[in-house]
Every structure is written in structure tokens, then in C-alpha cells.
Amino acid sequence: MYKHVIFDLDGTLLNTIDDLAAAGNWVCRNHGWPVHTVEEYKYFVGNGMAKLAERFAPEDWRTPERIAALLEEFMPYYNAHKEDKTAPYPGIAALLDRLKGAGVRMAVLSNKAHSLAPAIIEGYFPGVFAFVQGALEGVPTKPDPTLLHRLMGEMGATPADTLFVGDSSVDIRTAKNGGLVSCGVLWGFRTRAELEAKGADRIVETPEELGELILR
């Protein structure tokens, strides 16, 4: 049994892709740029909001100053509409209840801005997560392990008793960089091939299967 589990947020706990895509395409329309499909946004996300803006913008807009300006448009709109379609994946609420009942300590590590992540998590999963860490200005984001190690220190977690769970190559690399066992999930934004290519230690298809892995 793992005593501690650290989850990714987008694509792992919550299906946020429709609201992220809608906000990105709202910015694109404001500038007269082509919009992108939801499937494309599944590969735009995962590395933080600045990288998301860089990916939906045309190449000639991909300068730090212009990306910062785009985020000033994107963030208020997304914040106002971030719960329009977002919802937990089927089976996630039951999984979290089961883990909490078994005494597993759970946390979230996300590349979503820290100004958003804790409130989002508490809104959908009240009282479940003792620790939620989002991206901080001036601090490297996943897959860098800086915030992971900080979070583990706050939790009192060690690599030997902690599982890292996520849906993308960024999450698998984060776990490896932090010395943790990684588990990729197939209900999120990316594919089995991507998770296998990055060396996921385990891959699960359902939250029920994840629960069995954690509590075995």
C-alpha cells in the first residue's frame, strides 16, 4: 500500500479540456486567428498556462512580452468559465473516498496556476486533499521536481511510500525526476503509447484499477 499519492489535476482528476479550449479559442477569435480543435488542445496543455498560450498563438506572437499579454486576456476569461463543462472523471470521486477511508494521504501537483488550482480542487473535492500545489511565478514547473520535493516535504512523504499519478509524459518525467514510482492513466488527454515511451512504471485504464494498485 502507498501511504501517499500525488495526483496531476487536468486530465487525471478533472476533465478540463473543453473549458481550456474554449478560453484559448476565445482569445484566438479576438485576434482574428484560426481556432483549434479540442484534440489539439490535449497536446497544448500540460506545461503551464504560458506554454498553452504560446501553443495556441501564431508563431510570430511567441515572444515573452506577447505571451504575457495573451495571458492577461486568457486568464480572466478562463477563470470566469473554468466550470462551464469541467467535471471529475467517472469513478474519481469514489476512488478518492476509498483512499481517504483507507488512510492514504493525497495531494495535487499541477502546472495550472496556483492562483486557481487550490480553489478548483476544493470546489470539486471538498476536504479530500490536504495539499494542493500549482505553478508559481519564478519557480520551475513540472517535469522539474522542485515543487514536487517541496510538496513531499510538507506531506512528510518519501519516495518509497509515494505514488505519482498523471495522464501525460510530463507527469511520468516528473515522477522519474523526483525518484518516485509513476502511474499513467488512460482516461485523460494522452495515449498509452506516450506513457509507455516515457517509461511509466504502471498504466491503468480505470480509477478502480488505480485503487487496487494503491491499496494492494
Side-chain angles (χ1 to χ4, degrees):
M1 173 176 162
Y2 287 98
K3 296 180 180 178
H4 301 91
V5 181
I6 301 175
F7 290 89
D8 170 52
L9 196 167
D10 299 87
T12 301
L13 295 172
L14 294 175
N15 187 353
T16 58
I17 198 66
D18 287 322
D19 290 335
L20 288 164
N25 283 340
W26 179 81
V27 175
C28 289
R29 291 188 186 95
N30 284 350
H31 289 268
W33 302 334
V35 298
H36 307 279
T37 67
V38 170
E39 288 301 309
E40 288 177 297
Y41 275 97
K42 289 182 179 180
Y43 290 86
F44 290 173
V45 300
N47 297 96
M49 295 299 196
K51 185 60 70 172
L52 169 60
E54 179 181 314
R55 289 167 175 160
F56 67 63
E59 288 188 14
D60 61 356
W61 270 74
R62 295 173 185 174
T63 66
E65 295 78 16
R66 285 182 164 181
I67 294 303
L70 288 183
L71 285 176
E72 290 183 1
E73 298 177 47
F74 174 89
M75 291 299 290
Y77 184 92
Y78 177 64
N79 193 33
H81 295 276
K82 64 183 183 297
E83 298 178 7
D84 287 0
K85 295 184 178 180
T86 288
Y89 286 98
I92 287 294
L95 168 67
L96 299 180
D97 285 344
R98 182 184 179 193
L99 296 181
K100 186 175 182 180
V104 177
R105 300 190 80 199
M106 295 175 284
V108 174
L109 179 61
S110 175
N111 279 347
K112 190 183 292 293
H114 192 69
S115 60
L116 297 176
I120 291 173
I121 287 295
E122 186 61 20
Y124 285 99
F125 309 110
V128 173
F129 291 95
F131 307 92
V132 179
Q133 180 63 65
L136 299 172
E137 187 174 353
V139 181
T141 56
K142 298 185 299 183
D144 185 280
T146 298
L147 289 175
L148 172 61
H149 287 154
R150 180 189 299 184
L151 183 59
M152 290 176 66
E154 293 174 351
M155 298 174 71
T158 68
D161 66 14
T162 305
L163 180 69
F164 195 97
V165 180
D167 71 306
S168 75
S169 60
V170 172
D171 300 308
I172 304 307
R173 291 164 57 204
T174 302
K176 289 185 177 298
N177 291 342
L180 303 185
V181 174
S182 62
C183 180
V185 304
L186 295 181
W187 57 79
F189 301 159
R190 305 294 179 82
T191 64
R192 178 185 290 274
E194 176 178 321
L195 298 171
E196 289 178 343
K198 292 302 177 182
D201 296 300
R202 294 294 301 268
I203 297 176
V204 297
E205 295 185 355
T206 67
E208 293 77 14
E209 186 181 354
L210 177 57
E212 294 302 316
L213 169 63
I214 294 168
L215 298 175
R216 68 180 183 184

